[in-house]
Amino acid sequence: MVESFERDRTTARFSQYARLLLTCGDVKMLVALIGEEMFHEMGVGAEIWHGLEGLVAEDASDPEQHYWALDGLVFSDMKLGYMDRVAPRLEAMERLIDSGALGEEEVLSFLMKRMLHLSHLGDENGVQRAISDLDNRLPEKPVHRRVFLYNAAAALYGLGAYKNAMKVVEQVIDETFAALGIRPDQVLRAKQAELWALINKPGLDQGDIKRLADALEFKAIVAGKLHVPVPLARIHAMKFYAIAGAIDSLIRVGQDLADDFVARQDFVTARDVLEQHVMPVVVGNQLLNRHLDVRAQYAVVLAYCGLYSEAEREMERLQVYAAGLAPQARMVLVRQRQLVAEIKANPIPQRQQGGRNPAIQKSTPISFGVKISRNDPCSCGSGKKFKRCGCGLAR
C-alpha cells in the first residue's frame, strides 16, 4: 500500500492504511500520521482514538507502543482543546520514561509536549526550564532543531511573550528557507510549478515544505498580536501549503488573509483572495465542511464591497443548510445575515492604504471547520467556557 502511495500519489486508501497500522501495532508510524491534515480529513479519527485508548488500557502492552499511543492522544487532546485530559496522560508518559525502557526519541517527544502543556498552564519558569532541557538534549540534526524552535516559539506565544516568540519563529523561517535552498524574494512572483522546480532537488525533506508554511502562518499570527505588518507571510504560507497538499491549512490561511485586507478596508483585494485562491480550492476538493464558512465570509466581503444584492443572494443560498446545522452554527448563520444588513445600512468606504480599522467586523465560521476549543468563550455571550456553558449550545 505504501508503494502504491509513492507510485500513484493517490490518497483513496489512506484511511485503510491508518487502520492497518493500528491492527499491525505500528503505533509510532500511526502517531506520525496523526499530525497530518489528511488523517483528520478522512474521518477515521474516532476509530483510531478508540484503538489508542485500548492500547493504553492494556497493562501488558509493549512500553514503546504504550508510550506512542499516549503521545498520539496528547497531540489530539491539545489540538481539540481537551486540555483537562493532558496532565494525566503526561504523567503516564513520564512513568514509562522513568522505567528506562524507552529511548532518547521518546524523551524528546515527552519534553516537547510537557513544554507546551506548561505554557498552557502559564508556568513561565517551567517553560524556560523545558526549553533549556530540550536545547541541551537535541541531537546534532538541523531538522530536530527547527522542530524544537517552532515548538519553543509556540510555548512562548502561549505565555504572551510575543516579541520572543517572533524572534524564534523568524529563526525557524530563515533556517528552513536555507534548508530548501531558496530565498524569500524568489517566492512572491513564483507560481506553484515554478516554486516546486526551485525546491525539488536531491535530498529534499518534503516535511520542510509544510514546516515552513506552518512557521510563516505562525509569524503572521504573532505579528497580529504585536500589531506589526507582515504582508507576505500568509501569502507565502498559502503557496507552500499548496505544494505540501495541506488543503485545509491553505483555505484557513486564505480566509485569514482576506480578513486582514478587510481590516485594512481593502475590500476589493479581500474579494480577490476569496474568489481566486480560496473558493476554487473548496469547490475543486468538494469540501462541504468548509463550503459554509467560505461562502458566508464571501457574502460579508461582498457587502463591504457595496454589492448588497449579491451578498444577500449568497446568504439565501446558505439558508437551505440551516435546518441541518447544530444550534450554535444556526445562530452564527443568523448573525452573518445581520452583519450583511448592518454593512448595507452603514457602508464603509474602500481604502487601499492605511492601518487596521478595529470597528470592522469579521465573518465568523459557520460550520466550525476550523476547530473551536471547548475552552474558548461560548458565543452566546455568557462569558463562560464553551464546554461549561449551560445555554444549550455547548455539547
Side-chain angles (χ1 to χ4, degrees):
M1 190 174 287
V2 172
E3 290 174 356
S4 74
F5 291 153
E6 295 174 348
R7 182 180 63 251
D8 304 327
R9 299 189 67 82
T10 176
T11 60
R13 302 176 71 191
F14 184 87
S15 59
Q16 185 179 2
Y17 177 54
R19 293 184 180 96
L20 276 174
L21 288 174
L22 181 62
T23 304
C24 296
D26 194 347
V27 180
K28 188 174 179 180
M29 177 61 73
L30 180 62
V31 169
L33 288 182
I34 290 173
E36 299 294 330
E37 288 182 7
M38 192 187 308
F39 178 90
H40 302 278
E41 292 169 3
M42 290 293 176
V44 294
E47 180 180 344
I48 299 303
W49 307 146
H50 180 74
L52 293 179
E53 292 280 11
L55 284 173
V56 168
E58 294 177 9
D59 293 335
S61 63
D62 176 82
E64 186 176 355
Q65 277 195 345
H66 194 162
Y67 175 86
W68 287 111
L70 284 164
D71 187 272
L73 291 168
V74 167
F75 179 91
S76 173
D77 291 338
M78 287 181 168
K79 180 181 179 68
L80 298 175
Y82 302 142
M83 299 304 293
D84 52 326
R85 303 178 184 176
V86 172
R89 298 198 201 278
L90 287 175
E91 290 172 3
M93 292 164 71
E94 188 169 19
R95 287 194 295 271
L96 286 168
I97 288 172
D98 290 343
S99 72
L102 302 175
E104 188 67 10
E105 187 175 358
E106 286 79 13
V107 173
L108 291 173
S109 172
F110 168 74
L111 291 175
M112 207 88 73
K113 297 287 192 308
R114 187 176 65 178
M115 175 181 67
L116 294 171
H117 183 57
L118 290 169
S119 173
H120 170 75
L121 297 176
D123 186 346
E124 183 176 354
N125 291 333
V127 169
Q128 293 297 340
R129 285 195 300 272
I131 289 175
S132 178
D133 289 346
L134 277 162
D135 196 21
N136 292 330
R137 300 189 68 137
L138 282 176
E140 294 297 324
K141 294 182 179 179
V143 66
H144 282 75
R145 180 161 186 81
R146 292 196 295 274
V147 172
F148 155 64
L149 288 174
Y150 178 88
N151 282 280
L156 291 168
Y157 176 88
L159 294 172
Y162 303 130
K163 289 184 179 179
N164 289 337
M166 179 64 85
K167 290 178 183 177
V168 176
V169 78
E170 285 182 333
Q171 183 179 346
V172 175
I173 291 169
D174 291 344
E175 292 182 8
T176 313
F177 265 118
L180 291 173
I182 56 172
R183 305 183 310 273
D185 62 272
Q186 294 177 285
V187 178
L188 182 58
R189 291 179 176 81
K191 296 180 180 179
Q192 184 174 333
E194 296 169 339
L195 193 53
W196 173 244
L198 287 172
I199 63 178
N200 186 22
K201 303 168 185 174
L204 169 68
D205 179 352
Q206 296 205 19
D208 275 331
I209 301 171
K210 183 164 186 301
R211 285 192 284 267
L212 178 55
D214 288 338
L216 288 164
E217 181 191 10
F218 187 55
K219 177 179 178 178
I221 292 170
V222 179
K225 294 292 187 180
L226 294 172
H227 306 291
V228 296
V230 286
L232 299 181
R234 285 195 169 99
I235 295 172
H236 288 181
M238 289 176 67
K239 291 189 175 186
F240 288 107
Y241 277 136
I243 293 174
I247 301 303
D248 197 62
S249 289
L250 188 158
I251 294 167
R252 181 187 65 248
V253 177
Q255 289 185 271
D256 289 342
L257 181 61
D259 277 339
D260 279 349
F261 284 116
V262 166
R264 291 177 171 81
Q265 294 178 225
D266 187 353
F267 308 127
V268 172
T269 304
R271 179 187 174 188
D272 288 344
V273 168
L274 294 175
E275 289 182 344
Q276 297 178 26
H277 303 290
V278 178
M279 291 162 67
V281 176
V282 173
V283 174
N285 290 275
Q286 300 179 347
L287 300 177
L288 182 59
N289 65 317
R290 301 311 300 266
H291 176 80
L292 299 180
D293 293 348
V294 172
R295 300 303 297 202
Q297 182 182 19
Y298 182 53
V300 172
V301 171
L302 287 174
Y304 277 126
C305 289
L307 302 172
Y308 307 119
S309 296
E310 289 91 333
E312 289 164 350
R313 281 198 293 271
E314 283 291 332
M315 294 308 302
E316 286 299 326
R317 294 188 187 103
L318 296 180
Q319 192 60 35
V320 301
Y321 298 99
L325 295 175
Q328 185 175 9
R330 285 201 301 272
M331 185 175 69
V332 175
L333 182 59
V334 170
R335 177 60 191 136
Q336 300 293 68
R337 184 185 294 273
Q338 292 171 345
L339 180 55
V340 168
E342 290 169 11
I343 297 168
K344 183 177 181 179
N346 300 283
I348 298 175
Q350 161 81 13
R351 183 175 60 190
Q352 296 290 344
Q353 303 294 331
R356 301 175 71 86
N357 187 339
I360 293 180
Q361 301 183 60
K362 295 181 180 180
S363 176
T364 304
I366 287 180
S367 67
F368 303 118
V370 177
K371 300 298 183 187
I372 291 181
S373 169
R374 285 157 34 90
N375 293 299
D376 285 345
C378 185
S379 63
C380 73
S382 67
K384 298 180 181 179
K385 291 183 179 180
F386 178 62
K387 65 182 178 182
R388 304 293 185 198
C389 188
C391 68
L393 301 179
R395 295 187 294 174

